[in-house]
Amino acid sequence: MKIVAINGSPRKDFNSAKMLKSWVEGYKSVHPDVEVEYVNLYSLKFTGCTSCFSCKRINGKFYGQCPIKDDLLPLIPKLYEADAVAIASPIYFGDMNAYTKCLLERALFSHTTYRKNHESLAKKPVPVTVIYTMNCPKELAAQIGYLERFKEMEAYISNTFLTPCKRVCAYNTYQFLNYANYEMEMFTEEEKRLYRDNNFENDCKAAYDSAVETANHKEFPPFTFHLTVG
């Protein structure tokens, strides 16, 4: 049994990483001997999809595979072979950051077809949990459309990995170790620290509980991506 945990943040021990580690701990609480591959995306060298379409070429050498020879080449197959995957991303400008998006471009497009409803080439359902960490407060995130925006990529993840993905969010996160060092009029360190002290532990617990639920499932419900063609 193996799980893959991907930290899409440039910071290796801050909000996203801590949430991700809680998810791993939750999964291991059910399966203590599970093999864990922990990946810091910013430690890898890679690009986004180059639109070469090798993964779509009929009878092509790389049909259903991404052929780009960089650090994602060995990682992408592991996602589809895993028993569970978690991807943690900070939110930049209201969406996943670019590194996480690049990974998903490559991982999803290579296994997605242009058949009706984007039929997936994945060989088995793999439960994916997406963990979002953001400076935005919860009420504002909903008001300005963050959550609706997340649904778009989650639908492609769910379709390609053959089962609905889960979402865990940490809102209004603490951004700096010392707010006095940065220009900051919109927030105060006292308010941020108070929110963190009262909420971030619960956010990590939500990631933990989500992993426990995934680890305890024997079968995963199918996901159908409804797309009108023609």
Side-chain angles (χ1 to χ4, degrees), residues 37-79:
E37 179 158 357
Y38 193 94
V39 179
N40 283 301
L41 274 189
Y42 276 76
S43 296
L44 307 183
K45 293 182 179 180
F46 61 93
T47 183
C49 176
T50 61
S51 198
C52 70
F53 290 98
S54 294
C55 62
K56 304 286 181 284
R57 191 175 182 87
I58 298 172
N59 298 323
K61 178 181 178 181
F62 297 105
Y63 182 80
Q65 305 173 49
C66 183
I68 302 174
K69 295 181 179 179
D70 60 17
D71 289 346
L72 291 189
L73 185 65
L75 175 60
I76 292 173
K78 294 177 182 178
L79 303 181

Side-chain angles (χ1 to χ4, degrees), residues 129-146:
T129 301
V130 183
I131 298 169
Y132 305 92
T133 62
M134 67 198 85
N135 175 53
C136 188
K138 183 175 182 178
E139 296 77 12
L140 183 59
Q143 179 183 339
I144 61 180
Y146 279 22

Side-chain angles (χ1 to χ4, degrees), residues 2-183:
K2 182 174 182 178
I3 59 175
V4 180
I6 298 175
N7 176 25
S9 171
R11 298 195 274 190
K12 296 181 179 180
D13 194 29
F14 216 60
N15 299 314
S16 297
K18 290 176 180 177
M19 292 280 287
L20 189 63
K21 289 176 181 176
S22 292
W23 182 89
V24 170
E25 290 169 2
Y27 203 96
K28 291 184 72 174
S29 72
V30 180
H31 301 291
D33 297 326
V34 67
E35 180 183 351
V36 181
E37 179 158 357
Y38 193 94
V39 179
N40 283 301
L41 274 189
Y42 276 76
S43 296
L44 307 183
K45 293 182 179 180
F46 61 93
T47 183
C49 176
T50 61
S51 198
C52 70
F53 290 98
S54 294
C55 62
K56 304 286 181 284
R57 191 175 182 87
I58 298 172
N59 298 323
K61 178 181 178 181
F62 297 105
Y63 182 80
Q65 305 173 49
C66 183
I68 302 174
K69 295 181 179 179
D70 60 17
D71 289 346
L72 291 189
L73 185 65
L75 175 60
I76 292 173
K78 294 177 182 178
L79 303 181
Y80 291 94
E81 296 164 1
D83 292 284
V85 173
I87 302 171
S89 174
I91 298 304
Y92 293 175
F93 294 102
D95 209 343
M96 292 178 176
N97 66 342
Y99 261 61
T100 307
K101 275 281 186 75
C102 283
L103 166 67
L104 289 172
E105 285 177 6
R106 298 267 301 278
L108 299 179
F109 191 64
S110 60
H111 284 69
T112 300
T113 69
Y114 283 136
R115 302 169 194 166
K116 289 184 178 181
N117 294 322
H118 286 315
E119 183 180 336
S120 175
L121 296 175
K123 295 179 180 178
K124 66 170 185 174
V126 177
V128 177
T129 301
V130 183
I131 298 169
Y132 305 92
T133 62
M134 67 198 85
N135 175 53
C136 188
K138 183 175 182 178
E139 296 77 12
L140 183 59
Q143 179 183 339
I144 61 180
Y146 279 22
L147 306 186
E148 289 302 312
R149 197 172 303 136
F150 297 165
K151 286 181 181 178
E152 297 176 8
M153 183 60 80
E154 289 168 0
Y156 283 104
I157 294 170
S158 300
N159 179 71
T160 310
F161 284 90
L162 301 177
T163 191
C165 77
K166 294 183 178 181
R167 176 196 301 173
V168 180
C169 294
Y171 299 98
N172 202 20
T173 51
Y174 204 71
Q175 292 177 285
F176 318 111
L177 296 179
N178 187 344
Y179 274 68
N181 291 338
Y182 303 92
E183 184 180 47

